[in-house]
Amino acid sequence: MSTATKKKMLERVLSLRRGAQMNDDGDEEADESKTKHISLAMRATNFFTRTGTGLTVGYLWPSLFLTLVLLSLVSLFIHSRDLVCVSSVSSFDLHSRLRFFGLDALDSDFGSLGVPWCRSKHGKTVEWTTKDLLKGLEEFVPIYETRPIKNNMFGMGFDHSFGLWFMAQWLKPDLMIESGAFKGHSTWVLRQARPDTPIVSLSPRHPEKYLKKGPAYVDGNCTYFAGKDFVDFGSLDWAKIMNKHGITDLNKVLVFFDDHQNEFKRLKQALKAGFKHLVFEDNYDTGTGDHYSFRQICDQFYIRGGGHSCFKDSDEARLRSRRKNFWEKAVDIEELCGPGETWWGVKGEMRDDFNHSNKKITYTQHFENSRFVESVLDVYWELPPVAGPSLTHQSRYDPARVTSPIVEDGRFGLFQRLGLSSLENSVFNGYTQMVYLQISES
């Protein structure tokens, strides 16, 4: 039987459930691209429901026999074809990948491993909704396609570029500060969000230095403390800078950190300067990363998904080992745990300065750090992945350790309508739980 004939047979026999999709007005509509595997019992139930009680027994049994034959052929087809759109980005076999995405529910283990979430003082959350994010994506994709740095290796990919652009546009700051500019991509993103807003950029190397080797971005309405004029965020006289730019309300300042420094240290420095709105680009998961992050800080036993077992025979150890086969940045027990079963931070270390400083801390210190963060935290919000891994083909971050994506797996119609399918797969491989914080003194 030819492949084309099999496809036609599959389309006629299977009545797969259609998932909800947002239309242009934000309402739900049927998405014909979203398909799920339906059990044989469900298919049989659907068949009997459609045939109704008016059918005679003589007609029913031949129909049932024919249906079972067709279902057998379909089952064979499903197990021999690639029904899930995945790329050959990893070494494991396709059958395992298919099972991962649909048949053994490993992609829904959110809560088994869990996601640490910093607790705010009063339970506040952000004002924007998924509908706002979807609308923003539709607007941002064509903007992103005009980026001057097409290959931003070691810099932000699409997810975080969108997140920074969206938050800057939503918050409408009168001044934007970035610590860590690299080639200038984040500066460009901020400029697209706020065309007339001044920017202050701190970076050890001036972005103009990269222009000699390839694409980079230098902004004309930006005050650079970079290169020979570099000053670290914690050492700058921010009161003087605010006065220079005529800023009297620090609530109108957005600070973006992409400098791979201890985020606990940066939080205290921002509090001292009086800043309220902070975005951290690399909010690394526990056991990963080159600096101490908020996700690591808030990984505590009393939080769902917090606290970890270092026993090699534990359920967590088995689950982590299994997921390590699928996701590049998933960590197993040996990578998570250090001497004496220290799992917090990275093997019990508070890392800083691009991994140049690895300070051992006790769990008591780690716990006290989390309590301090909670005491000053008004809002904590992690940017979700833009789309599920079967759509973006990403193989790096583990979907069990992140919140649900903005465009969920299976919603290819929405993914395509937003223009995301036109982007290269590589731009989706840089997601590291970017986080927005709103803070104030306790």
Side-chain angles (χ1 to χ4, degrees):
M1 184 181 294
S2 68
T3 301
T5 303
K6 289 180 179 178
K7 287 184 177 179
K8 288 182 180 180
M9 187 176 295
L10 177 65
E11 292 171 357
R12 292 173 181 172
V13 176
L14 296 183
S15 297
L16 299 180
R17 292 173 292 182
R18 295 178 178 178
Q21 171 181 319
M22 293 292 182
N23 62 20
D24 291 336
D25 296 323
D27 299 320
E28 288 191 345
E29 65 181 15
D31 180 1
E32 294 184 1
S33 66
K34 182 173 182 178
T35 60
K36 294 182 180 180
H37 294 292
I38 301 178
S39 66
L40 287 175
M42 177 70 76
R43 298 180 204 277
T45 300
N46 290 342
F47 172 78
F48 283 116
T49 301
R50 288 196 302 272
T51 56
T53 57
L55 290 176
T56 63
V57 174
Y59 176 79
L60 178 60
W61 283 108
S63 299
L64 179 59
F65 176 76
L66 178 60
T67 301
L68 291 175
V69 171
L70 291 175
L71 288 177
S72 299
L73 291 173
V74 169
S75 178
L76 178 63
F77 179 81
I78 289 174
H79 286 85
S80 63
R81 298 290 295 170
D82 176 10
L83 293 184
V84 179
C85 180
V86 294
S87 63
S88 56
V89 291
S90 52
S91 59
F92 54 83
D93 63 280
L94 181 59
H95 181 69
S96 297
R97 186 81 175 195
L98 287 171
R99 187 174 67 251
F100 184 87
F101 278 122
L103 302 181
D104 70 352
L106 268 180
D107 57 335
S108 61
D109 277 328
F110 181 84
S112 296
L113 287 176
V115 179
W117 194 266
C118 294
R119 302 192 305 185
S120 60
K121 289 183 289 187
H122 306 296
K124 289 176 58 180
T125 187
V126 293
E127 297 176 350
W128 52 83
T129 65
T130 300
K131 185 185 292 186
D132 296 318
L133 292 169
L134 286 169
K135 184 178 179 181
L137 276 172
E138 196 165 19
E139 183 179 349
F140 181 69
V141 170
I143 295 175
Y144 183 75
E145 289 177 332
T146 68
R147 65 196 184 279
I149 307 169
K150 299 297 184 184
N151 182 10
N152 195 34
M153 187 175 292
F154 307 117
M156 288 198 301
F158 179 82
D159 295 67
H160 291 185
S161 299
F162 166 69
L164 180 60
W165 173 87
F166 179 86
M167 288 183 276
Q169 190 181 60
W170 186 279
L171 296 170
K172 296 178 172 57
D174 292 335
L175 178 68
M176 300 181 290
I177 301 168
E178 63 171 353
S179 179
F182 192 32
K183 297 179 182 179
H185 175 77
S186 57
T187 317
W188 178 83
V189 170
L190 290 170
R191 178 56 64 224
Q192 305 315 299
R194 302 287 291 167
D196 302 317
T197 301
I199 300 173
V200 175
S201 182
L202 292 70
S203 200
R205 188 175 187 183
H206 201 293
E208 66 183 5
K209 295 292 184 181
Y210 293 97
L211 284 171
K212 299 177 181 179
K213 297 182 178 180
Y217 178 79
V218 178
D219 192 87
N221 191 17
C222 178
T223 301
Y224 285 97
F225 293 90
K228 59 182 178 60
D229 298 320
F230 172 68
V231 181
D232 184 74
F233 179 87
S235 302
L236 203 58
D237 186 344
W238 287 112
K240 184 178 179 180
I241 299 296
M242 295 303 105
N243 184 59
K244 177 182 176 182
H245 288 278
I247 303 296
T248 56
D249 183 5
L250 294 181
N251 199 48
K252 300 294 291 182
V253 178
L254 176 64
V255 185
F256 173 60
F257 294 97
D258 186 12
D259 53 13
H260 295 256
Q261 302 295 296
N262 180 341
E263 293 178 2
F264 188 68
K265 173 183 71 179
R266 288 304 195 212
L267 173 69
K268 288 188 172 182
Q269 292 170 347
L271 276 170
K272 182 179 179 181
F275 297 130
K276 311 287 185 181
H277 301 278
L278 316 177
V279 176
F280 289 83
E281 202 261 334
D282 290 303
N283 184 31
Y284 291 118
D285 198 9
T286 304
T288 70
D290 56 12
H291 62 270
Y292 197 44
S293 69
F294 287 104
R295 174 168 276 217
Q296 294 174 10
I297 294 168
C298 296
D299 197 344
Q300 300 288 340
F301 283 111
Y302 59 86
I303 294 177
R304 182 186 178 190
H308 302 284
S309 169
C310 289
F311 294 108
K312 293 184 178 180
D313 294 330
S314 66
D315 289 339
E316 179 177 355
R318 286 190 289 272
L319 184 57
R320 284 186 175 276
S321 177
R322 192 176 181 187
R323 302 193 74 89
K324 183 68 176 175
N325 294 326
F326 293 92
W327 309 105
E328 295 173 25
K329 293 298 182 181
V331 295
D332 56 25
I333 292 301
E334 291 185 1
E335 295 170 298
L336 180 74
C337 301
E341 299 181 348
T342 56
W343 51 261
W344 47 92
V346 180
K347 294 189 174 183
E349 295 178 346
M350 178 192 287
R351 299 192 176 186
D352 193 14
D353 189 24
F354 280 89
N355 218 14
H356 293 150
S357 172
N358 304 331
K359 180 182 178 182
K360 294 283 186 181
I361 59 171
T362 64
Y363 179 74
T364 300
Q365 291 175 301
H366 176 65
F367 176 77
E368 290 175 352
N369 292 344
S370 71
R371 298 299 288 175
F372 177 82
V373 170
E374 290 176 355
S375 72
V376 301
L377 193 58
D378 292 321
V379 173
Y380 179 91
W381 181 77
E382 287 184 9
L383 172 75
V386 164
S390 71
L391 295 170
T392 62
H393 298 200
Q394 76 83 19
S395 60
R396 287 168 63 84
Y397 67 82
D398 185 344
R401 292 289 288 173
V402 303
T403 53
S404 298
I406 301 171
V407 181
E408 296 183 346
D409 282 310
R411 302 179 72 176
F412 182 73
L414 178 59
F415 184 77
Q416 189 174 42
R417 181 175 66 79
L418 293 172
L420 296 169
S421 59
S422 65
L423 302 176
E424 295 181 4
N425 296 334
S426 59
V427 303
F428 296 107
N429 252 348
Y431 178 81
T432 50
Q433 296 85 230
M434 173 185 274
V435 64
Y436 163 69
L437 275 65
Q438 185 177 333
I439 60 174
S440 62
E441 292 284 4
S442 55

